[in-house]
Amino acid sequence: MSNVPFDGPIFDGLILGAHLATLDGANGYGEIADAALGWRDGVLTFVGPRSQLPGAPDALAREVIEADGWITPGLVDCHTHLVFAGERAREFEMRLQGASYEAIARAGGGIVSTVRATREADEAELLRQSLPRARALLADGATTLEIKSGYGLDFANERKMLRVARQVGEALGITVRTTYLGAHALPPEFKDRAEDYITAVCEWLPRLHAEGLVDAVDAFCEGIGFSPAQTRRVFDAARALGLPVKLHADQLSDLGGAALAAEFDGLSADHVEYTSLDSVRTMAAHGTVAVLLPGAFHVLRETKLPPLQAFRDNGVAMAVATDCNPGTSPLLSLRQAMQLACTHFRLTPEEALRGATQHASRALGLHDRGVLRVGMRADFVHWNVGHPAELCYWLGGQLAHGIYAGGRRL
C-alpha cells in the first residue's frame, strides 16, 4: 500500500477488479483477487485488495479503470537478435528438404547472408525492418527487450545495429537493453584469423561503450564459434570497462561456457543444453541466471534437454526468452516461447511466467520490474484470461487487452 498522504489524487491511474498475479513470493502466482493496482510517475504505489484502498477510487486517482481477467508483470524478453536485415525463410525450406548447414552456407546462406544484408542496409532501413518484429513482441506482452548486435561484425555495422536497437526503444516507448555481440561469428574478411578478429572485437568495445551504446557484452562460445580462451579475452575487456557479461553457452557441446560466464559473475548463461552439473553449481554460487531458449530447440529439432532439475535443485533461476533471430528461432512471441518451454522442457506455467518476468529481469541486471510490488516500475499487462496458466496453454491468439510501460498504456 502507498505511504503517500491522502490529500487528493495520489494515483495517476488505478485499475480495479482484476486478479493480480504479483509473483511477489517464492512460490505460487501471488494471487490477489478483486484487486487494486495503482501507480504514479511510472511507479507502482498500490498493490493489494480493492477493500484496502484509503478512500473512494474516484477521489484517489486521475483515471480509474474497472477490469476483469488477470494482470501480470510486463514480460521481459532477455535474449533477442531482432535487429537484422533480410530473412532466411528459403533456408528453412532447404533444411526441411534435407540440405545440411554446410550446403546452405556454400549456397550463400547461413549467418553470412544475414551479415551481408545487414551491412547493406542503412540505419533507417534497418530500423524499418526491425520495428515490426519489436511491435509483434510488444503486442503479446513484452514491455522490456534485450537486443544484441552480432550481424555487423565490423565496427561501423556493429555500431549501426546498436544505434538502431536504441531507436527501437525510443520509437516504442519501452526499455531496450543493448548487448554487444561482436564475438558472434567470424566475418569473411577474417577467415582463418580468429585471434586477430577477437583483438578487433576488444578494440571496438571501448569506443562503442563511450557512445553509450553497450549495456552488456556477449559471445558465442562453441566449437563453431569462439573458444573459451577467446571468450575470456572478450570478457576481460568488458570487465575493464565495468560492463556485465552474458554468454551463448553449451548449446551444442560442453566447453564449460556456463561456468566461464559465472566466473565473471555473468548475468546469464543462455541455451545451456549441454551444461554440466559442476557448471550448474558454479552458476548457483555466482547467481548467474540460466536463460532457456526453446524456440531454437524447437526449430532445430534438438533432443538434448538442459539440466532442468539440476537448475531447480541448486537454486539457479531459469529465465525464458525468444532468441528471436533469422536463422534458428524466428519467434515473435515471448508468450509462445513460454508455451514451448512448458511443452519441450516441462516447465510449469508458473515457472514459465516467472521465467519471462522475474528471472528474465535478473538476466538483464534489472531489479525494478518483474513482480507487482509497490516501488517497482509500472510495467504490467492486463490479460483476457481466466487463469495465468492460459498464457502458456493457448497456441497463439490475442490475449493481451492492455499493455503498460512506466504506467503508460502502449
Side-chain angles (χ1 to χ4, degrees):
M1 186 180 296
S2 171
N3 292 321
V4 178
F6 179 42
D7 57 357
I10 60 175
F11 305 122
D12 294 330
L14 185 63
I15 297 181
L16 304 174
H19 291 250
L20 302 185
T22 67
L23 304 180
D24 194 8
N27 299 294
Y29 291 105
E31 178 182 356
I32 301 175
D34 191 21
L37 187 72
W39 62 94
R40 184 169 185 172
D41 296 330
V43 175
L44 295 176
T45 51
F46 188 97
V47 181
R50 183 206 301 249
S51 61
Q52 293 183 9
L53 284 169
D58 288 343
L60 294 173
R62 295 181 175 87
E63 180 183 19
V64 178
I65 302 166
E66 286 283 349
D68 52 14
W70 282 75
I71 295 174
T72 72
L75 305 186
V76 176
D77 199 343
C78 64
H79 183 130
T80 87
H81 303 255
L82 73 82
V83 169
F84 59 87
E87 44 76 29
R88 281 152 60 187
R90 175 59 181 147
E91 293 178 28
F92 174 69
E93 186 174 49
M94 291 171 67
R95 279 202 307 271
L96 293 176
Q97 293 170 345
S100 68
Y101 182 87
E102 290 77 11
I104 291 171
R106 283 197 303 272
I111 190 173
V112 173
S113 67
T114 298
V115 172
R116 183 169 56 249
T118 301
R119 286 180 173 183
E120 290 173 355
D122 63 19
E123 206 165 288
E125 176 62 15
L126 193 55
L127 179 63
R128 187 192 70 78
Q129 293 192 38
S130 300
L131 271 175
R133 294 187 283 268
R135 287 195 178 103
L137 292 169
L138 189 156
D140 218 11
T143 56
T144 300
L145 302 178
E146 185 256 20
I147 301 177
K148 303 178 190 295
S149 67
Y151 294 126
L153 306 185
D154 62 24
F155 175 77
N157 286 292
E158 289 290 293
R159 179 177 182 267
K160 177 176 68 180
M161 290 188 68
L162 293 166
R163 284 172 56 86
V164 168
R166 288 278 191 243
Q167 291 168 36
V168 167
E170 293 163 4
L172 299 183
I174 60 174
T175 300
V176 167
R177 301 292 282 180
T178 55
T179 299
Y180 174 55
L181 182 57
H184 190 196
L186 195 63
E189 60 268 27
F190 278 88
K191 187 178 185 330
D192 299 324
R193 294 192 296 126
E195 291 294 338
D196 291 342
Y197 180 64
I198 290 297
T199 297
V201 167
C202 294
E203 290 173 348
W204 301 335
L205 177 56
R207 297 164 63 188
L208 296 168
H209 178 51
E211 292 188 37
L213 294 175
V214 181
D215 296 320
V217 175
D218 196 351
F220 182 36
C221 183
E222 193 54 75
I224 62 172
F226 297 96
S227 70
Q230 291 163 344
T231 301
R232 184 180 293 276
R233 289 179 60 195
V234 176
F235 283 5
D236 282 335
R239 175 179 278 174
L241 297 170
L243 286 167
V245 300
K246 307 163 67 66
L247 188 63
H248 287 65
D250 309 334
Q251 179 184 8
L252 305 173
S253 63
D254 182 12
L255 296 184
L260 175 60
E263 178 190 333
F264 280 80
D265 295 315
L267 294 173
S268 68
D270 303 28
H271 288 289
V272 294
E273 280 91 335
Y274 285 82
T275 296
S276 69
L277 180 57
D278 284 345
S279 291
V280 171
R281 290 170 174 157
T282 305
M283 291 173 67
H286 291 265
T288 298
V289 176
V291 177
L292 307 179
L293 303 173
F297 185 93
H298 176 78
V299 170
L300 295 174
R301 293 182 287 181
E302 296 287 356
T303 58
K304 174 67 173 176
L305 293 171
L308 302 160
Q309 194 56 48
F311 289 141
R312 294 185 183 105
D313 292 344
N314 288 273
V316 174
M318 293 184 288
V320 176
T322 63
D323 192 19
C324 172
N325 74 71
T328 61
S329 189
L331 180 54
L332 296 177
S333 165
L334 182 49
R335 191 173 62 77
Q336 184 66 66
M338 293 160 57
Q339 202 284 331
L340 291 173
C342 292
T343 300
H344 288 306
F345 299 159
R346 302 297 193 270
L347 264 61
T348 67
E350 180 203 330
E351 286 179 317
L353 180 57
R354 286 183 183 273
T357 53
Q358 182 181 36
H359 301 324
S361 300
R362 279 186 53 192
L364 296 181
L366 297 174
H367 302 287
D368 63 345
R369 66 200 71 194
V371 300
L372 300 179
R373 180 193 303 146
V374 168
M376 302 294 272
R377 181 177 161 88
D379 286 5
F380 57 90
V381 183
H382 175 208
W383 304 94
N384 283 325
V385 297
H387 190 274
E390 289 189 50
L391 301 180
C392 298
Y393 166 71
W394 292 108
L395 289 162
Q398 292 294 318
L399 302 185
H401 177 70
I403 302 166
Y404 295 75
R408 183 175 65 88
R409 183 164 181 167
L410 301 176

